[in-house]
Amino acid sequence: MKKGIALILLIHSLVFAISPALRMCTETGEGTPATAVKVWTTSITTIHNIFPIKIGGVTVLNFGGLEDFGSVSNMPLCVCQDPFPRVGVKISLWEPIAFLEVTKIPSCSPSLGITIPPVTPYGNKAFGGQDEGGEDQGNRHSYQFHFIKFNPFLILGQFLDFVCLEKSGSGLDLAYVSEIDPLWQFDVWSVILNPEAILVANPIAQLACMADSTAANLGFPLDILWWCLGSWGSLYPFTKTVTQGINLSSQMAISMRAVAKLHRQLILWGSVGESGLCGTYPMPIMMKSQYSLLPLHPVVHPNRIPVGRSVMLWGYKKEIPYVNRHVYVNALYRKRDCCAF
């Protein structure tokens, strides 16, 4: 028994010694239990972001004027066959489903308070390391992401019989780690998942993103402009590389690229509109308006933010130069339309 413990400690020490990024995770105070407690506590205290709640198309509960959009018809009743035939009432709310960690420190997870073991055959690039020639060339920077399923209702034991809420899993699961995904590391390889990026890689398509930015700043983004992320830049490619520097916009863009990638891989499904009343459905092209992000770490924001909204409207004092540009955590909220009974 003692030899087994000693071997585990030795392996851990060797891994920690050969990876400067792993050491940085602890040195910056990110991968610690205290940070994890802060993230969890903050996410629960900001649970009011599920509002507004609509029943039969009528808003019955709201908090602080949280934003919403109409996604189903005004007909209050609905009919479903799955999981059993039923007549119900349409209910809409914003459901928290995950933590999205965006990190320049490979394998660093502030939400879990640990350093994720670096299991990868792809070398330093897969750890979020610098691109060849250095990341500063061409102002190119790279981020990794971790998708951690987080269902506070399930953890708290509330609403377990509510058919409209996600009930799979244990409430907290490390579902996706980009460090081990080769398609996330290289722009060329990402074409396997997003070949349509070639269609919008031109000035005219990118100029259209101005309309998406305007719409996001006034309300919600334009889903018809699926290649745009409003004021956060372009949705493509589905990789770690951004060119707009190290800032809040970059990490928000990476967060939504991660969501779009998971939709393309059918890990995330659609949950909004008439099609979502009886259950989630395949959505290989992400519907941007279905999601909102709530910054939790390093600086919390009280209300969820529609995709693409300029940081000039909400990012005041959310960025501390040279201090908190390593790891970010956002709570992912999903619009949920459901036929409840």
Side-chain angles (χ1 to χ4, degrees):
M1 180 68 178
K2 291 182 178 179
K3 289 183 178 180
I5 295 175
L7 180 60
I8 292 174
L9 291 175
L10 176 60
I11 293 174
H12 181 272
S13 299
L14 289 174
V15 170
F16 198 74
I18 63 176
S19 178
L22 302 188
R23 294 199 302 270
M24 186 181 295
C25 182
T26 302
E27 290 171 359
T28 58
E30 305 288 0
T32 63
T35 304
V37 170
K38 170 197 168 187
V39 171
W40 297 349
T41 303
T42 303
S43 65
I44 292 173
T45 57
T46 55
I47 204 66
H48 64 270
N49 282 280
I50 66 171
F51 298 117
I53 295 178
K54 294 182 178 179
I55 299 179
V58 178
T59 299
V60 295
L61 290 172
N62 203 348
F63 182 92
L66 286 167
E67 295 173 275
D68 193 18
F69 65 96
S71 51
V72 294
S73 67
N74 292 327
M75 177 68 69
L77 299 181
C78 49
V79 179
C80 287
Q81 301 297 324
D82 184 44
F84 51 83
R86 68 184 190 272
V87 176
V89 178
K90 296 177 182 177
I91 290 183
S92 301
L93 74 160
W94 288 85
E95 179 186 15
I97 62 169
F99 290 143
L100 265 172
E101 297 180 337
V102 177
T103 175
K104 287 187 64 64
I105 305 176
S107 301
C108 187
S109 176
S111 302
L112 300 178
I114 62 172
T115 298
I116 302 170
V119 181
T120 174
Y122 305 109
N124 288 335
K125 286 185 178 181
F127 285 125
Q130 291 188 350
D131 299 319
E132 291 182 4
E135 290 188 349
D136 290 334
Q137 291 194 359
N139 200 29
R140 291 166 61 86
H141 303 272
S142 62
Y143 292 91
Q144 301 295 327
F145 78 88
H146 310 138
F147 185 82
I148 302 172
K149 288 185 178 181
F150 175 67
N151 189 332
F153 296 112
L154 189 57
I155 291 176
L156 295 173
Q158 302 296 317
F159 308 114
L160 295 185
D161 58 346
F162 189 26
V163 70
C164 293
L165 294 178
E166 181 70 47
K167 294 181 284 293
S168 62
S170 61
L172 185 67
D173 297 299
L174 180 58
Y176 205 94
V177 178
S178 70
E179 284 89 341
I180 63 175
D181 183 355
L183 300 184
W184 183 256
Q185 316 309 325
F186 308 101
D187 291 357
V188 175
W189 288 21
S190 72
V191 176
I192 297 173
L193 279 183
N194 54 259
E196 75 279 4
I198 299 174
L199 300 176
V200 294
N202 59 78
I204 297 177
Q206 297 306 310
L207 188 62
C209 291
M210 295 177 62
D212 189 53
S213 177
T214 301
N217 290 333
L218 296 177
F220 287 85
L222 301 176
D223 292 312
I224 193 173
L225 302 178
W226 40 266
W227 62 93
C228 304
L229 286 177
S231 299
W232 301 345
S234 175
L235 180 64
Y236 296 105
F238 294 168
T239 66
K240 66 179 183 179
T241 304
V242 292
T243 57
Q244 60 262 49
I246 307 174
N247 50 44
L248 285 174
S249 293
S250 294
Q251 70 91 9
M252 299 294 268
I254 288 290
S255 294
M256 293 316 301
R257 283 187 187 179
V259 174
K261 174 181 170 66
L262 296 180
H263 267 277
R264 186 58 52 88
Q265 296 174 201
L266 297 182
I267 295 174
L268 289 176
W269 286 26
S271 65
V272 71
E274 301 289 336
S275 300
L277 289 174
C278 300
T280 56
Y281 56 94
M283 182 187 279
I285 297 179
M286 172 188 68
M287 182 177 174
K288 296 178 295 185
S289 60
Q290 175 180 285
Y291 292 104
S292 290
L293 292 175
L294 175 68
L296 295 177
H297 177 79
V299 183
V300 68
H301 189 72
N303 299 330
R304 50 182 169 77
I305 301 165
V307 174
R309 180 161 296 176
S310 173
V311 297
M312 296 180 64
L313 299 179
W314 59 268
Y316 180 63
K317 291 187 177 180
K318 298 294 188 302
E319 190 79 84
I320 306 174
Y322 309 109
V323 176
N324 68 341
R325 292 188 171 188
H326 301 296
V327 180
Y328 300 84
V329 181
N330 298 306
L332 181 66
Y333 278 76
R334 177 180 65 185
K335 178 71 180 287
R336 185 76 168 95
D337 292 317
C338 181
C339 185
F341 60 96

